[in-house]
Amino acid sequence: MAFISRGFHGRRPSAGTKLPPGQYETTGFPVLSAGPTPRIRQDDWKLSVTTEAGKQHVWDWAGLMALPAESPTVDLHCVTKWSKFGTEWQGVSLDVLLADVETAAEHVLVTSYGGYTTNIPLADLVDGKAWIAYGYGGSDLAPEHGGPARLLVPHLYLWKSAKWVREIELRPSDVPGFWESAGYHNYGDPWREQRYQGD
Amino acid sequence: MARAAIPGRLGDRLRWRTAEVTGRRVESATAVTLTLDLPGWPGHLAGQHVDVRLTAEDGYSTQRSYSIASAPNGRSLDLTVQRTSGGEVSPYLVDELVPGDRLELRGPVGGWFVWRQQQTEPILLVAGGSGLVPLMCMVRAREAAGSRAPFRLLCAARTPSDLLYRSELRQGAPGLDTTYLYSREAPADSPRPPGRIAPEDLVRSGWPPDFEPTCYVCGPTAFVEKTAAYLVLLGHAPERVRTERFG
């Protein structure tokens, strides 16, 4: 027989919203990170894409700003159980950044200022599914939320959307990142509730 | 930031378990500690958490994470839960559950915000409000393991009556220095006037950076953001400052 929590009634999500299993809706914007927030000035910021052949493509802040911007409105799902609907971002699609990059790699390791890492299949970063985001709600992205710029991959749990992004490394083989090495799921699809290894 | 060390039992599916509530202790006006009996519990590291799942009669289900408060102790586990006003889950856990009730959970989870008894370096623990829970687990695990690692604990609370684990902290332990930082209202004999945590508090009651302590900071986001930034400004290496936040 299915488990019932005696006396628990709960709160249903508002009409028209659909929550992934185990999640609840928040209207705040909680912060999750494993250490102090790195303070990176826009002038010091650089992003590189490195191919498996060792070729590097580098953008500085002015270079990023010169690229065509998009304003995606997306839902966020954090493995710590909160979901936030309809968040409005400004940023550059990974399709733009990867347009001139020659690669046969299928795996990506993303590294942040501060040393955080996360791994993602390349297929999950292309075709309009991922951005380098530098604006949130019409303002600069705050440092505690990953500013000056973070990866945004909203169809996966939010730990994949690395804050303070510094490098996107295209790799022939997969390598687990920070949380993926600590027992969290390698892929992290919230709709399949892939929180931990084995889920 | 170093690669997180891999905890044990990796590859095992974290399966849902049914715990029985065997005890309920009031910690403050808004917090209780639930003692759970968990047959087959594999043990945990100090600082880890569990996921709790509540299911209503119509099948609606939701989950939250709670830090473990007790040192590893066989199949018994303490969770301290602070009631969030207007919350969906914490009022149920704090006000509704009584001994004999059952609760679904899985874990332990988390391999970064943990203290292991092999660590011998000085430890700084900085707690804001119920952020004390995983840090108290470290204090208890240190004592249970007979560790002599020097610990300094800074407990921030709004008023003395908001403080969790009061009598246990007052009793203290050899090698553990505890300092209280009250933000709204301090006892009359307190040497520190009420106020939010400031760099001076970390200088006076923490460790000098050249002692290379590992620092654990847990509490509400704004508290953790500020405290972690102060520690880095005071010269602590960012990779030695581990944080966990809620809200």
Side-chain angles (χ1 to χ4, degrees):
Chain A
M1 199 187 95
F3 186 92
I4 304 292
S5 308
R6 182 196 59 77
F8 176 68
H9 306 293
R11 186 180 298 158
R12 306 302 185 272
S14 43
T17 58
K18 194 164 182 301
L19 280 166
Q23 297 289 111
Y24 67 94
E25 183 183 355
T26 181
T27 52
F29 195 170
V31 172
L32 184 82
S33 40
T37 295
R39 306 279 155 177
I40 318 296
R41 299 182 333 142
Q42 290 176 356
D43 290 349
D44 298 328
W45 184 89
K46 279 191 173 55
L47 171 70
S48 57
V49 172
T50 309
T51 71
E52 70 275 27
K55 186 162 168 36
Q56 243 187 6
H57 304 250
V58 182
W59 292 265
D60 62 9
W61 193 256
L64 185 74
M65 292 302 118
L67 296 173
E70 296 181 5
S71 298
T73 297
V74 300
D75 302 335
L76 306 178
H77 307 293
C78 181
V79 73
T80 62
K81 319 292 183 311
W82 58 265
S83 292
K84 184 172 173 62
F85 296 111
T87 60
E88 296 172 2
W89 300 81
Q90 295 78 45
V92 175
S93 168
L94 262 285
D95 292 323
V96 172
L97 292 163
L98 295 173
D100 297 328
V101 175
E102 283 200 29
T103 183
E106 293 180 8
H107 304 279
V108 173
L109 184 69
V110 181
T111 303
S112 300
Y113 290 91
Y116 178 79
T117 56
T118 189
N119 56 310
I120 306 173
L122 180 57
D124 286 88
L125 294 180
V126 295
D127 296 333
K129 293 198 287 289
W131 296 265
I132 299 296
Y134 50 75
Y136 177 75
S139 303
D140 286 351
L141 183 59
E144 66 267 29
H145 291 302
R150 74 181 295 168
L151 183 63
L152 179 64
V153 197
H155 69 287
L156 300 177
Y157 280 126
L158 201 52
W159 90 78
K160 297 284 186 180
S161 295
K163 299 175 181 181
W164 318 298
V165 61
R166 192 187 72 195
E167 184 180 11
I168 294 171
E169 184 190 348
L170 302 161
R171 299 174 46 93
S173 62
D174 196 14
V175 58
F178 179 81
W179 289 119
E180 294 84 359
S181 300
Y184 284 78
H185 198 275
N186 200 54
Y187 184 65
D189 180 351
W191 297 99
R192 288 185 277 167
E193 203 174 3
Q194 295 173 334
R195 299 182 194 275
Y196 310 119
Q197 281 192 20
D199 279 357
Chain B
M1 188 185 296
R3 173 73 48 89
I6 296 175
R9 301 189 322 111
L10 258 195
D12 266 3
R13 189 187 158 86
L14 281 176
R15 65 180 180 84
W16 290 99
R17 301 165 186 277
T18 303
E20 184 181 333
V21 179
T22 56
R24 180 182 183 277
R25 187 168 64 248
V26 173
E27 300 283 2
S28 75
T30 54
V32 302
T33 293
L34 298 170
T35 299
L36 306 174
D37 179 48
L38 270 160
W41 180 246
H44 59 273
L45 297 169
Q48 288 188 299
H49 65 269
V50 296
D51 285 359
V52 168
R53 178 166 71 185
L54 300 183
T55 306
E57 280 183 24
D58 65 355
Y60 168 79
S61 172
T62 193
Q63 301 175 27
R64 297 293 188 278
S65 297
Y66 290 99
S67 290
I68 300 168
S70 50
N73 174 28
R75 53 191 263 179
S76 171
L77 196 74
D78 283 2
L79 301 182
T80 302
V81 181
Q82 177 98 36
R83 188 198 301 116
T84 310
S85 76
E88 179 186 20
V89 171
S90 61
Y92 173 84
L93 298 175
V94 170
D95 301 328
E96 181 74 25
L97 277 187
V98 292
D101 278 333
R102 294 179 313 143
L103 186 64
E104 268 195 312
L105 59 80
R106 66 173 181 163
V109 178
W112 172 247
F113 197 82
V114 296
W115 178 80
R116 292 173 165 83
Q117 62 185 78
Q118 295 86 345
Q119 289 177 242
T120 54
E121 77 277 15
I123 299 294
L124 175 65
L125 308 174
V126 189
S130 60
L132 180 56
V133 177
L135 305 181
M136 194 64 185
C137 185
M138 296 179 189
V139 166
R140 290 167 168 170
R142 169 187 179 273
E143 199 170 356
S147 163
R148 295 170 65 190
F151 271 40
R152 289 185 174 171
L153 169 63
L154 275 66
C155 283
R158 283 188 307 175
T159 72
S161 62
D162 290 310
L163 188 64
L164 304 175
Y165 317 122
R166 276 192 296 272
S167 59
E168 186 177 343
L169 286 173
R170 201 177 306 122
Q171 196 177 326
L176 167 68
D177 289 338
T178 304
T179 304
Y180 303 101
L181 310 171
Y182 297 109
S183 59
R184 295 262 179 86
E185 176 196 322
D189 60 349
S190 170
R192 180 187 181 277
R196 294 187 185 279
I197 192 166
E200 304 86 84
D201 294 312
L202 298 164
V203 171
R204 196 178 304 124
S205 308
W207 298 103
D210 57 356
F211 283 30
E212 300 192 331
T214 300
C215 307
Y216 299 86
V217 185
C218 187
T221 288
F223 176 88
V224 172
E225 275 295 311
K226 259 199 311 191
T227 303
Y230 293 156
L231 287 169
V232 172
L233 282 172
L234 291 172
H236 294 273
E239 59 270 22
R240 291 193 165 278
V241 180
R242 302 184 182 202
T243 61
E244 186 149 287
R245 310 154 202 244
F246 52 83

